[in-house]
Amino acid sequence: MHRDIEEVLFTEDAIRARIAELGAAITEAYRGDDLVLMALLKGGVIMLGDLMRRIPIPLEIELVKASSYGAGTVSSGRVEIEVFPEASFKGKRLLVLDDILDTGRTLKAVVDRLKARGAEDVRTCVLLDKKARRAEGFEADWSGFPVDDRFVVGYGLDHAGRYRNLPYIGVLKPKRHADDT
Ligand code: IMP
Ligand code: MG
């Protein structure tokens, strides 16, 4: 797996340090409130696991499955929400987590759905922000690192389902996505 990586963009240490900073900022923002951390499956669960342990206030977690990508490296432009919590979010403050903000379609669709379900306070946090690709005028409330318009893997981010378990974030060697169409 490691030999498929051309360049490491964010090391394990850099990610850990940034997650700690995000955790501290989020802790201050939600102290005294009923917080629900809601991670997008599958890419957001690594961040959920690390970030929640940096937020030492009472909180609950939820999972949502939404996808805008097929097996390739280019967004299909269509967002499907496949799994969505039954719980009522009345009186709760929701923070939705994802690995990367790309066009913004996925997070926007999830936030819109939560608001349609009566959630009044929904904010978002992503580890990476690929600003160049934004299509929806949607911005995250917190983001870890800006990233150039390159296809990255690791720390939850996949290529055709693989590489999510890399502890760092890197760019794949070109031959590794030569089979994309
Ligand atoms: P958006 O709806 O275009 O913002 O897409 C967000 C989703 O696209 C993320 O949850 C990722 O699953 C996926 N994605 C976007 N860019 C990358 C990338 O560089 N590597 C891996 N997955 C990506
Ligand atoms: Mg993905």
Side-chain angles (χ1 to χ4, degrees):
M1 203 170 55
H2 296 293
R3 60 170 191 254
D4 298 345
I5 302 300
E6 178 176 82
E7 187 188 341
V8 174
L9 298 183
F10 304 103
T11 63
E12 203 175 343
D13 284 349
I15 296 170
R16 187 183 305 112
R18 188 67 185 121
I19 291 284
E21 289 175 357
L22 290 170
I26 290 165
T27 301
E28 288 321 307
Y30 290 96
R31 202 181 282 288
D33 297 332
D34 267 337
L35 172 62
V36 180
L37 283 182
M38 186 172 290
L40 266 58
L41 290 167
K42 301 168 185 168
V45 301
I46 314 289
M47 186 183 183
L48 172 67
D50 285 347
L51 185 63
M52 67 188 285
R53 288 176 292 172
R54 296 293 189 162
I55 306 178
I57 57 174
L59 59 80
E60 292 172 77
I61 63 169
E62 291 282 358
L63 299 168
V64 174
K65 185 156 181 15
S67 49
S68 64
Y69 266 54
T73 57
V74 179
S75 175
S76 68
R78 206 185 56 238
V79 178
E80 285 172 41
I81 298 182
E82 296 155 48
V83 178
F84 197 77
E86 292 292 324
S88 150
F89 304 120
K90 230 173 163 34
K92 306 238 159 126
R93 303 189 67 191
L94 309 187
L95 181 60
V96 184
L97 309 178
D98 201 6
D99 47 11
I100 189 167
L101 186 61
D102 185 29
T103 64
R105 290 190 185 105
T106 308
L107 271 178
K108 184 174 188 303
V110 171
V111 169
D112 287 351
R113 172 83 76 99
L114 288 166
K115 290 191 168 157
R117 278 271 302 272
E120 284 161 19
D121 183 354
V122 185
R123 294 206 263 176
T124 55
C125 175
V126 294
L127 185 63
L128 301 182
D129 184 356
K130 214 187 251 187
K131 281 207 183 295
R133 300 238 323 140
R134 204 72 88 256
E136 296 285 342
F138 184 94
E139 297 301 335
D141 296 283
W142 285 278
S143 82
F145 304 102
V147 70
D148 292 339
D149 185 7
R150 301 167 81 185
F151 193 79
V152 293
V153 295
Y155 199 79
L157 292 146
D158 72 301
H159 175 253
R162 301 233 171 121
Y163 303 103
R164 296 190 197 274
N165 52 329
L166 282 176
Y168 52 82
I169 292 170
V171 180
L172 276 183
K173 287 179 183 162
K175 69 174 170 60
R176 292 293 153 188
H177 39 110
D179 55 344
D180 291 347
T181 48

